[in-house]
Amino acid sequence: MKEKIRALVKERNAVLLSHNYQPPEIQEMADLCGDSLELSIRAADTDAEVIVFCGVHFMAETASILSPDKIVLLPNADAGCPMADMITPVALRARRKDLPGIPVVTYVNSSAAVKALSTICCTSANAVAVVNSLDDAELLMTPDRNLARNTARHTDKKIHLWDGCCPIHDRLTVADVEAAKAAHPGAVFMAHPECRPEVVEMADAALSTSGMIRFAAESDATEFIVGTEVGLLYPLAQKNPGKIFYPASEGMVCPDMKKITPQDILDCLENMSGQVKVPEDIRIPALAAVTRMIELSR
Ligand code: 13P
Ligand code: SF4
């Protein structure tokens, strides 16, 4: 299956991108695995004619926003993001009326239509830098209330919240972390900024998924408790032989990140199916918000 897929990737002049949470067999066959920011930058830079995005719908949309002349394929149309669905353009327009003149910082985990109404995007890797890059003293951050609260700890700006969250990260409690720390005393605890603030406060480091991979590699520690989706345990172990990684909670599984199968990838490359294309009237304003973020992060 892997050989067939790699042959088709070459034949179609495609690039296969995988988020760090994807199943091991998909990460193994990808041209690039990464966090949301790395994948956005790669989608903007690639010369390939086709981008196969192994992740969730908003990631494929971001690739389409950045590369309108390329064909973007999402191998399984059902792979969405519950957090991205917690904000709609209608609801954001209404909220903006209550906060006139205030910039909107939107997490990339959002639809293209919501990005189109935003001033600038951010990811978990650059949220603090994005917020601090704004001249304004006040801003609205959407849709993740946890990322917004965790970012607020690193800025003097007033951040208005949107009441959304990642159900998988929001489910990690202080009690879960206390239990993991008791079971693995001495282990370093890494938390994703989508976790609740009281959980992030317990962490030795709050990082994006690729940030965790780099942090673990650079650290002298040999044991780590991982406060993010369990898919990250695979690349952490692959890239850090000899180090041990424990999930902060076994329950941190994102079903959407597990929907794409190798068969789906083969089918979409054979039939050029699963195309994701953002219409121009949404793409142009969304591109402004995404480009502002990428320029800041390069
Ligand atoms: P990062 O890989 O950017 O940290 O994002 C985590 C996530 O939840 C993506 O869906
Ligand atoms: Fe969305 Fe959370 Fe799944 Fe990421 S892990 S795709 S934020 S539901």
Side-chain angles (χ1 to χ4, degrees):
M1 180 69 83
K2 184 180 172 182
E3 277 166 28
K4 274 194 203 168
I5 290 171
R6 288 308 315 172
L8 261 177
V9 165
K10 202 169 169 200
E11 199 179 301
R12 299 281 193 214
N13 187 18
V15 64
L16 191 63
L17 304 182
S18 167
H19 188 267
N20 289 325
Y21 294 156
Q22 288 288 296
E25 63 272 24
I26 292 179
Q27 295 197 37
E28 271 170 26
M29 65 175 77
D31 294 294
L32 178 86
C33 301
D35 65 10
S36 306
L37 181 61
E38 291 165 340
L39 295 175
S40 304
I41 291 174
R42 181 60 182 263
D45 287 348
T46 182
D47 290 332
E49 289 169 69
V50 178
I51 298 172
V52 182
F53 220 117
C54 298
V56 292
H57 190 261
F58 75 78
M59 296 181 176
E61 272 196 335
T62 305
S64 171
I65 290 167
L66 289 162
S67 303
D69 300 331
K70 300 188 199 309
I71 294 171
V72 179
L73 306 178
L74 178 66
N76 187 320
D78 289 338
C81 169
M83 168 154 57
D85 295 338
M86 291 180 194
I87 182 167
T88 64
V90 172
L92 178 53
R93 270 200 196 92
R95 185 76 189 280
R96 277 178 43 176
K97 274 193 186 146
D98 294 339
L99 298 168
I102 286 186
V104 180
V105 176
T106 290
Y107 195 25
V108 285
N109 298 34
S110 56
S111 69
V114 166
K115 290 182 177 79
L117 295 175
S118 304
T119 314
I120 186 167
C121 286
C122 73
T123 74
S124 60
N126 61 19
V128 174
V130 165
V131 163
N132 284 330
S133 77
L134 298 170
D135 292 333
D136 312 67
E138 260 182 74
L139 59 119
L140 168 64
M141 210 164 163
T142 78
D144 188 353
R145 61 171 185 255
N146 290 335
L147 180 67
R149 286 196 183 116
N150 290 320
T151 304
R153 293 178 57 207
H154 300 281
T155 182
D156 295 334
K157 296 177 191 295
K158 178 174 169 57
I159 300 185
H160 298 270
L161 306 181
W162 189 274
D163 197 14
C165 69
C166 164
I168 287 82
H169 287 82
D170 193 58
R171 148 180 332 157
L172 184 66
T173 61
V174 167
D176 291 331
V177 178
E178 280 170 353
K181 284 188 173 207
H184 310 292
V188 168
F189 173 45
M190 305 184 290
H192 195 278
E194 288 175 17
C195 293
R196 298 178 190 184
E198 63 269 28
V199 166
V200 171
E201 263 173 43
M202 298 172 80
D204 298 291
L207 298 157
S208 76
T209 55
S210 289
M212 288 187 191
I213 295 172
R214 283 188 291 271
F215 179 87
E218 286 161 14
S219 168
D220 292 335
T222 53
E223 292 188 42
F224 301 83
I225 297 164
V226 183
T228 194
E229 208 274 342
V230 295
L232 194 70
L233 294 169
Y234 173 74
L236 278 169
Q238 287 293 108
K239 290 179 180 154
N240 294 286
K243 297 191 177 184
I244 307 170
F245 299 93
Y246 308 103
S249 159
E250 301 274 358
M252 293 181 78
V253 182
C254 175
D256 283 273
M257 279 286 179
K258 314 300 172 198
K259 282 186 178 159
I260 294 172
T261 64
Q263 186 66 49
D264 291 336
I265 300 173
L266 189 65
D267 291 347
C268 87
L269 275 165
E270 263 171 1
N271 308 318
M272 296 302 277
S273 54
Q275 293 195 25
V276 173
K277 180 122 186 96
V278 176
E280 281 300 283
D281 60 328
I282 292 175
R283 191 186 74 82
I284 300 294
L287 179 65
V290 175
T291 308
R292 260 185 103 174
M293 170 192 82
I294 290 181
E295 292 308 320
L296 193 79
S297 301
R298 273 192 199 278

